[in-house]
Amino acid sequence: FGGVAEMGDEPTSPKTEFLMAIAGPITSLIIALIFYSLAVWAQKSRVPTPVYGVLLYLGAINGILAVFNLLPAFPLDGGRVLRSILWALRKDLKWATRVASRAGQLFAVILIVLGFMQIVQGNVIGGFWWILIGIFLQGAAKMSYQQLLVRQVLEGEPVNRFMQANPTVVSPDLTIKQLVEDYMYILHYKMFPVVAGGKLQGCISTQQIKSIPREEWASHTVGEFSDSCSRENSISPDTDALKAVEIMSRTNRSRLLVIEGDRLVGILSLKDLLQFFALKVELEEKA
């Protein structure tokens, strides 16, 4: 789910998608024409050869970039243009993304094969570049489709649908050694809520424990190192599940406290979200 927090919102219409996708290649093409025109002027004006060479090189690079980005291989701009057309035809963003993603993966395989052919023919460096670009494009195409699925599955779903309603809690009087040996090593959780007298005090995780020398674990308590509740480690039950994923990704946490006022009502774990996502995709992907 890490990439979900980094990607932008999906376009709201095929037209918006098309205009956003075509803008990049057009910009590169315009820049290429400008540099090529300057190179022609430099050649006629007898400008020093190095200057002419740089202008011609910049024009060629931007021209190649424009053509490459227009290839119908998602998530390149050309692939997004393809998706916008498919989306407009069938009114189904998920289907259009799946087809465009597969086109991107197919093009990636072609690049990898061509790369190996280049190596066999003796162009080792060029061949490796083709292979690396193909591998990167293949991964990006798969990830882009998965990101869309995550958004469609989790967006709009409240956190209380996925949380564990009766989580294991620890006392602030517990020693760090007891926490590690009796809770973390047995339950395999990286974070535990800290509760005293039925009131939530905060939480403690492996992030705090790593700062304590092992030989001092028995002489320190959980209450000394627990974090208070904040936007970084807690959310409300009605928070959008996709927002929770973004918080987990940004803070590198796999569990979040679900609180209502000053009361702990549950724990949201990345594992539970992953299991729901996998099940949802397995049951509905063919639909």
Side-chain angles (χ1 to χ4, degrees):
F1 287 159
V4 180
E6 299 174 1
M7 70 178 182
D9 294 334
E10 289 293 335
T12 56
S13 69
K15 181 180 179 179
T16 302
E17 167 88 306
F18 180 84
L19 293 175
M20 290 171 59
I22 204 67
I26 289 177
T27 301
S28 295
L29 185 59
I30 292 173
I31 294 174
L33 291 174
I34 291 173
F35 277 116
Y36 181 73
S37 299
L38 289 173
V40 172
W41 169 82
Q43 186 180 36
K44 292 181 178 179
S45 303
R46 297 182 179 180
V47 172
T49 302
V51 175
Y52 164 75
V54 169
L55 292 172
L56 189 62
Y57 174 78
L58 290 174
I61 287 296
N62 279 278
I64 292 172
L65 182 62
V67 173
F68 182 76
N69 273 330
L70 279 174
L71 293 173
F74 197 77
L76 297 178
D77 289 326
R80 293 187 178 278
V81 170
L82 173 62
R83 182 174 76 163
S84 69
I85 295 172
L86 296 174
W87 185 8
L89 290 174
R90 192 161 167 174
K91 312 299 181 184
D92 187 339
L93 176 59
K94 181 179 175 181
W95 173 81
T97 304
R98 182 168 64 244
V99 174
S101 175
R102 288 176 179 172
Q105 293 175 56
L106 176 61
F107 182 73
V109 171
I110 294 174
L111 282 180
I112 293 171
V113 172
L114 290 175
F116 278 112
M117 291 175 62
Q118 288 287 313
I119 292 175
V120 171
Q121 294 173 4
N123 185 10
V124 178
I125 296 178
F128 272 117
W129 272 112
W130 283 51
I131 292 172
L132 288 175
I133 293 173
I135 292 173
F136 172 79
L137 183 59
Q138 187 175 50
K142 289 181 179 179
M143 181 61 70
S144 297
Y145 181 55
Q146 290 170 354
Q147 288 172 346
L148 175 68
L149 291 181
V150 170
R151 281 194 173 277
Q152 290 192 336
V153 168
L154 297 183
E155 193 168 24
E157 295 286 354
V159 162
N160 57 17
R161 179 174 180 178
F162 309 101
M163 70 181 188
Q164 302 170 19
N166 298 296
T168 301
V169 300
V170 296
S171 167
D173 299 324
L174 199 69
T175 66
I176 298 299
K177 182 177 180 181
Q178 290 173 319
L179 171 67
V180 173
E181 295 181 352
D182 299 339
Y183 288 86
M184 289 185 169
Y185 285 166
I186 293 176
L187 298 176
H188 306 154
Y189 297 152
K190 292 185 177 182
M191 184 273 284
F192 286 88
V194 181
V195 176
K199 186 176 180 180
L200 179 64
Q201 304 291 313
C203 65
I204 188 164
S205 69
T206 54
Q207 294 178 356
Q208 287 78 48
I209 295 174
K210 286 189 296 184
S211 65
I212 310 170
R214 186 181 181 89
E215 59 270 16
E216 297 181 15
W217 285 1
S219 58
H220 291 287
T221 64
V222 166
E224 295 177 54
F225 293 92
S226 62
D227 276 346
S228 59
C229 297
S230 68
R231 293 182 178 179
E232 302 298 305
N233 59 26
S234 59
I235 49 177
S236 62
D238 57 351
T239 302
D240 193 295
L242 190 60
K243 177 66 175 178
V245 171
E246 293 172 353
I247 294 174
M248 288 179 178
S249 177
R250 187 181 69 252
T251 61
N252 196 29
R253 299 175 187 270
S254 59
R255 307 183 87 211
L256 295 175
L257 301 171
V258 183
I259 60 175
E260 202 165 31
D262 61 352
R263 186 171 61 92
L264 176 70
V265 296
I267 286 284
L268 179 71
S269 71
L270 182 59
K271 180 181 178 182
D272 292 333
L273 291 172
L274 285 170
Q275 289 176 339
F276 175 80
F277 172 71
L279 181 61
K280 184 91 170 177
V281 171
E282 180 181 348
L283 293 177
E284 300 185 11
E285 178 64 11
K286 299 297 183 180

